Amino acid sequence: MTATPTRARSRAAVQWDLWTMTARLVVDDGAALAEATRLLNAHLAAIEDAASRFRTDSEVCRLAASPVERHEVSRLLGDMLAAALDAAEVSGGRVDPTVGTVLSALARPAPAVRASMRRRATWRDVQVQETVVRMPPGTLLDLGATGKAFAVDRAAQMLARELGCGVLVSLGGDLRTAGEPRAPWTVLVRDGKDEPATVVDLAADAAVATSSSLHRTTGPDLAPHVIDPLSGHSVGKLWRTVTVAAETCVEANTWSTAALVAGADAPDLLASTGLPARLVAADGSVHYLGEWPR
């Protein structure tokens, strides 16, 4: 998704490549852009230190390599994992932070830590209370979905508070606004230049998340990187993309990811949430649910 600057003269933006995606930051006060960029980069570095499954020194990789069940973790990772477990519960397990072990087996090249266990853990096997985590040894957490959304939510709120202006933060398909903008945020929702597009206006404290079966792939057959936690296999390509709007990016991402996993049941699942949603089917047709702007 792309945030298109409006007529507000002071609005300024910057974007860069990060984690195989595009990071984008827009601020209402152009004079605050440099400081906003510095703060955002520091925040994202902390997120990577906590949750990257591709770095041996990250917290999640150290946990996977540990032979014990009880771990002391940073407050940041504890908060991220709590958000992931909430997403697992409300989605009926369709979004599960323990699928990192499955992804590690599918990925080529393999991530920094290769985890193994007799029975694959599920989200029900993981407990977190502030900075204490209990889970089966060898569990490799994957916080790529809710973790990215969590990073966007926390960054937007932090920047708006610190800088006193409207901000928009986007990581790949996850986008969040915060603060009081001088004008609505105009957002282009499109997962690639040849994909169906729509433009929506977002006010303060709004979020949009898109989950896709198109671009990021895993394994020799280039299957979608989103895993069905129940089957342990990549989701099918019934839906090219699913976009959900919500108050927080974590909520939006939870349901956009769950919809990809749900396959043919995605419309009914999303309708039950009451959230605005936009689904692009394999044939390119676009389907709207809730009060998504036409």
Side-chain angles (χ1 to χ4, degrees):
M1 289 183 293
T2 302
T4 304
T6 68
R7 295 179 181 178
R9 291 184 177 179
S10 62
R11 189 162 285 180
V14 63
Q15 69 179 43
W16 63 98
D17 293 334
L18 179 73
W19 305 338
T20 71
M21 66 190 76
T22 299
R24 184 168 177 84
L25 168 65
V26 190
V27 294
D28 255 346
D29 182 357
L33 183 61
E35 178 64 5
T37 304
R38 185 190 70 79
L39 291 171
L40 179 57
N41 275 320
H43 170 67
L44 296 178
I47 293 288
E48 185 174 15
D49 289 343
S52 173
R53 63 184 180 88
F54 298 98
R55 285 179 36 186
T56 56
D57 62 343
S58 73
E59 285 193 80
V60 295
C61 284
R62 294 200 306 270
L63 296 185
S66 172
V68 302
E69 294 186 357
R70 184 185 184 280
H71 310 273
E72 288 282 347
V73 301
S74 68
R75 185 58 186 262
L76 177 60
L77 182 58
D79 289 347
M80 293 178 71
L81 185 52
L85 293 177
D86 286 344
E89 183 172 10
V90 301
S91 69
R94 293 181 177 90
V95 182
D96 188 334
T98 66
V99 296
T101 304
V102 177
L103 286 169
S104 74
L106 293 175
R108 297 293 185 271
V113 171
R114 185 181 298 276
S116 63
M117 63 185 78
R118 294 180 180 176
R119 179 184 69 83
R120 186 181 74 79
T122 73
W123 67 275
R124 296 184 183 277
D125 298 310
V126 182
Q127 299 176 353
V128 59
Q129 185 169 7
E130 296 185 346
T131 60
V132 176
V133 173
R134 294 181 181 274
M135 62 184 185
T139 303
L140 178 58
L141 298 171
D142 174 57
L143 301 178
T146 57
K148 180 161 61 75
F150 176 97
V152 169
D153 279 332
R154 183 161 288 193
Q157 293 172 310
M158 177 265 294
L159 291 174
R161 182 177 63 250
E162 294 292 328
L163 303 174
C165 66
V167 301
L168 179 150
V169 179
S170 173
L171 286 178
D174 291 347
L175 182 151
R176 173 70 187 267
T177 69
E180 292 297 330
R182 299 175 186 269
W185 300 103
T186 302
V187 175
L188 172 66
V189 179
R190 182 176 65 184
D191 195 33
K193 65 178 182 179
D194 296 325
E195 292 299 306
T198 187
V199 176
V200 297
D201 283 344
L202 298 180
D205 296 319
V208 178
T210 296
S211 294
S212 171
S213 65
L214 293 175
H215 302 296
R216 295 178 59 203
T217 55
T218 187
D221 59 350
L222 298 182
H225 73 289
V226 178
I227 297 296
D228 179 345
L230 298 180
S231 70
H233 300 300
S234 295
V235 299
K237 295 186 178 182
L238 177 63
W239 305 109
R240 298 171 70 85
T241 59
V242 179
T243 304
V244 176
E247 291 185 0
T248 70
C249 209
V250 168
E251 182 181 19
N253 185 287
T254 295
W255 293 112
S256 64
T257 302
L260 281 187
V261 173
D265 294 329
D268 289 340
L269 177 67
L270 291 172
S272 72
T273 71
L275 296 172
R278 174 181 181 268
L279 300 89
V280 180
D283 62 3
S285 59
V286 181
H287 306 264
Y288 295 99
L289 295 171
E291 303 201 2
W292 186 272
R294 297 292 192 262

